[in-house]
Amino acid sequence: MIGDAPRMDKATLPSSYPLSRTCPLDPPAEYGRLRTEEPMHRVRLDFDGSTVWLVTRHEDARAILGDTRFSSDFAKPGFPARLTSQPPGPGTFIRMDAPDHTRLRRLLVPELVRKRVDALRPAIERIVDELIDGMLAAGPPVDLVDAFALPLPSRVITELLGVAYEDRAFFHETTKVMGDQHVDPQTRLTVRNQMRDYLDRLVAVKEAEPADDLLSRLVQRREKAGVSRAEVLGIATLLMVAGYETVANQIGVGTVALLEHSEQVEHLRAHPEAMPAAVEEVLRHQTVIDYGARRVATEDVEVGGRLIRSGEGVLVVLAAANRDEEVFAGSDRFDIGREPRDHLSFGFGVHQCVGQVLARAQLEIAWTALLRRLPGLRLALPVEKVAFRHDMFVYGVHELPVTW
Ligand code: HEM
């Protein structure tokens, strides 16, 4: 077409959320139109009919996530509280504001800094190798989700928390059920209680016999930091919830994206040193926190030329911000040479992912080993047949049959 594309009629902008994807490896096409036409846009949430601001531009996303006048507290009126039939328990600081958020996060941060994660790398490499040994022993085709993507973060968390070897199978099975949205609520509740009781006993073990692990150190440092025992239990649960499904699905959908770009995979095989940059591009292009980062305004605040009133809910669509042309030229192109420093896949501001160094390490080690040890790795079915996780809080794949 010659000349400018016609400006979109406001009436054609989406009025409800979530939106559907047309291509499973790209966010809904409407995000692009919203970013240029109406970057701060009111939509009705399908699950309860409430109205929120949908934020699709990178600049506005950072402005909101970096502004503590936007609250993460689920209990605040106006908060877009999907999936939260139960109020978050003690220690769940992802859903809190200062000063409790600061006090609890501060206890955990030293445990997930680069030095600690580097010390954990040999253990992650060992786990990855054992999982690939299992895949090789089973022979192709193998479901990468079940054989690799789910057990990896689960076993890394057991390593981190200092779970005894004989309890690992219980821990893995329980985490899997807790993360499965298809399990009936009663089973989920029973399993949640089993996990809570298990962690309670684990904390008692660490109190009696502290070892060289994260949970022992939290138990020892908690009193001085003004953190209760119940809050330590909550932090341990939060680590499992926040660090399991995210990593598993990032591996799942990230592997699809990589395998769909075979020439880039060949480059990575020949140049494993390019993996850290490739991981950043996978994180940007395949943003698994699909629903968005949720906030509620606690004061009237102007963002992107619009006035957000106190008590209004906000959904910062990280997947849309990560495709903003103003920041990432040719943003829909998957390009492992891009080095996208400012992507928002781990959020931004005071709640920015505290596990991001650990997440990056797992992704890097996982894909390096998969490409090295399974040189013929490819999907065992056409990509159109892959079961993608549409309408889930965390996007990804339900299963991923692969061969090599
Ligand atoms: C690819 C993997 C991961 C992704 C995409 C991811 C993404 C995110 C995002 C977007 C947030 C911010 C939420 C908000 O602002 O409302 C967050 C927070 C958080 N993440 Fe992650 N995460 C990942 C892995 C992990 C891991 C491995 C851990 C720990 C074991 C972890 C623990 C947390 C915690 C505790 C928070 C809350 C931080 C706070 O509220 O101060 N995450 N994550």
Side-chain angles (χ1 to χ4, degrees):
M1 190 172 70
I2 298 173
D4 290 339
R7 276 180 74 81
M8 192 170 39
D9 181 349
K10 288 273 154 59
T12 68
L13 287 170
S15 57
S16 64
Y17 188 84
L19 304 166
S20 305
R21 295 177 181 234
T22 41
C23 167
L25 293 180
D26 288 318
E30 287 93 338
Y31 291 167
R33 307 194 339 244
L34 284 167
R35 269 193 312 268
T36 44
E37 295 291 325
E38 181 105 327
M40 300 288 296
H41 179 61
R42 300 285 276 167
V43 284
R44 188 176 33 76
L45 295 182
D46 283 348
F47 78 100
D48 71 350
S50 67
T51 304
V52 299
W53 291 98
L54 204 62
V55 183
T56 46
R57 250 181 20 186
H58 190 276
E59 188 185 342
D60 300 333
R62 273 171 60 124
I64 289 169
L65 297 177
D67 187 334
T68 51
R69 290 175 296 176
F70 289 95
S71 168
S72 286
D73 183 351
F74 271 42
K76 285 229 157 65
F79 192 97
R82 188 196 188 209
L83 298 178
T84 48
S85 40
Q86 291 166 322
T92 316
F93 62 85
I94 192 168
R95 308 290 173 231
M96 295 177 188
D97 298 330
D100 286 334
H101 169 262
T102 324
R103 175 175 59 84
L104 296 163
R105 181 174 165 121
R106 200 175 278 157
L107 181 72
L108 183 62
V109 162
E111 293 302 325
L112 293 168
V113 292
R114 185 163 311 279
K115 203 174 104 210
R116 287 265 179 234
V117 174
D118 282 349
L120 210 63
R121 283 182 93 99
I124 304 174
E125 280 161 0
R126 176 176 43 75
I127 295 166
V128 161
D129 271 333
E130 286 171 10
L131 294 173
I132 297 177
D133 289 345
M135 288 171 64
L136 287 166
V142 160
D143 175 12
L144 191 77
V145 172
D146 205 47
F148 189 84
L150 286 172
L152 171 60
S154 159
R155 286 190 55 186
V156 167
I157 293 166
T158 60
E159 201 69 46
L160 202 64
L161 295 180
V163 170
Y165 188 81
E166 57 274 21
D167 295 339
R168 286 186 181 178
F170 160 80
F171 195 91
H172 177 56
E173 285 313 311
T174 312
T175 326
K176 210 166 138 183
V177 177
M178 281 170 66
D180 186 345
Q181 285 179 43
H182 293 116
V183 168
D184 69 274
Q186 189 49 47
T187 311
R188 184 122 45 118
L189 189 66
T190 312
V191 166
R192 246 174 205 277
N193 289 340
Q194 283 171 351
M195 182 56 99
R196 195 199 48 217
D197 295 346
Y198 175 76
L199 287 173
D200 194 19
R201 290 197 301 276
L202 189 62
V203 166
V205 169
K206 306 297 173 188
E207 284 168 339
E209 292 168 47
D212 182 17
D213 56 56
L214 178 148
L215 200 53
S216 296
R217 285 187 291 271
L218 292 194
V219 162
Q220 286 175 308
R221 288 179 17 231
R222 74 162 182 82
E223 260 184 71
K224 210 167 154 208
V227 174
S228 72
R229 189 178 188 278
E231 285 173 328
V232 168
L233 275 171
I235 294 174
T237 313
L238 173 61
L239 284 178
M240 282 169 36
V241 174
Y244 174 65
E245 240 190 312
T246 46
V247 174
N249 281 289
Q250 195 72 68
I251 292 175
V253 75
T255 301
V256 181
L258 283 165
L259 295 179
E260 282 298 285
H261 295 86
S262 50
E263 72 300 345
Q264 299 192 42
V265 168
E266 282 323 307
H267 178 82
L268 277 174
R269 277 209 181 91
H271 302 278
E273 71 282 2
M275 189 55 86
V279 166
E280 295 311 307
E281 177 64 349
V282 175
L283 284 161
R284 179 193 76 85
H285 199 264
Q286 297 301 321
T287 311
V288 295
I289 304 293
D290 199 37
Y291 197 72
R294 291 162 289 167
R295 299 290 188 269
V296 60
T298 58
E299 293 176 28
D300 292 358
V301 187
E302 201 186 305
V303 179
R306 305 301 293 264
L307 182 68
I308 303 173
R309 295 202 179 275
S310 177
E312 288 180 344
V314 176
L315 270 182
V316 178
V317 188
L318 305 174
N322 278 342
R323 298 287 184 106
D324 191 334
E325 281 292 318
E326 298 284 318
V327 184
F328 310 105
S331 64
D332 287 338
R333 206 179 55 245
F334 179 76
D335 175 5
I336 58 166
R338 180 192 295 274
E339 302 196 22
R341 265 181 279 278
D342 291 332
H343 70 71
L344 296 178
S345 301
F346 291 120
F348 183 74
V350 292
H351 285 279
Q352 196 181 46
C353 181
V354 76
Q356 59 184 285
V357 183
L358 180 61
R360 287 183 165 110
Q362 291 182 71
L363 298 174
E364 223 181 281
I365 294 169
W367 282 318
T368 304
L370 284 171
L371 295 190
R372 182 173 51 80
R373 295 193 57 197
L374 306 173
L377 184 67
R378 60 192 184 279
L379 300 186
L381 74 183
V383 68
E384 305 79 51
K385 296 260 162 62
V386 173
F388 288 91
R389 289 166 47 112
H390 293 284
D391 197 23
M392 292 277 183
F393 185 71
V394 180
Y395 190 67
V397 290
H398 289 293
E399 47 191 52
L400 191 64
V402 293
T403 186
W404 53 86

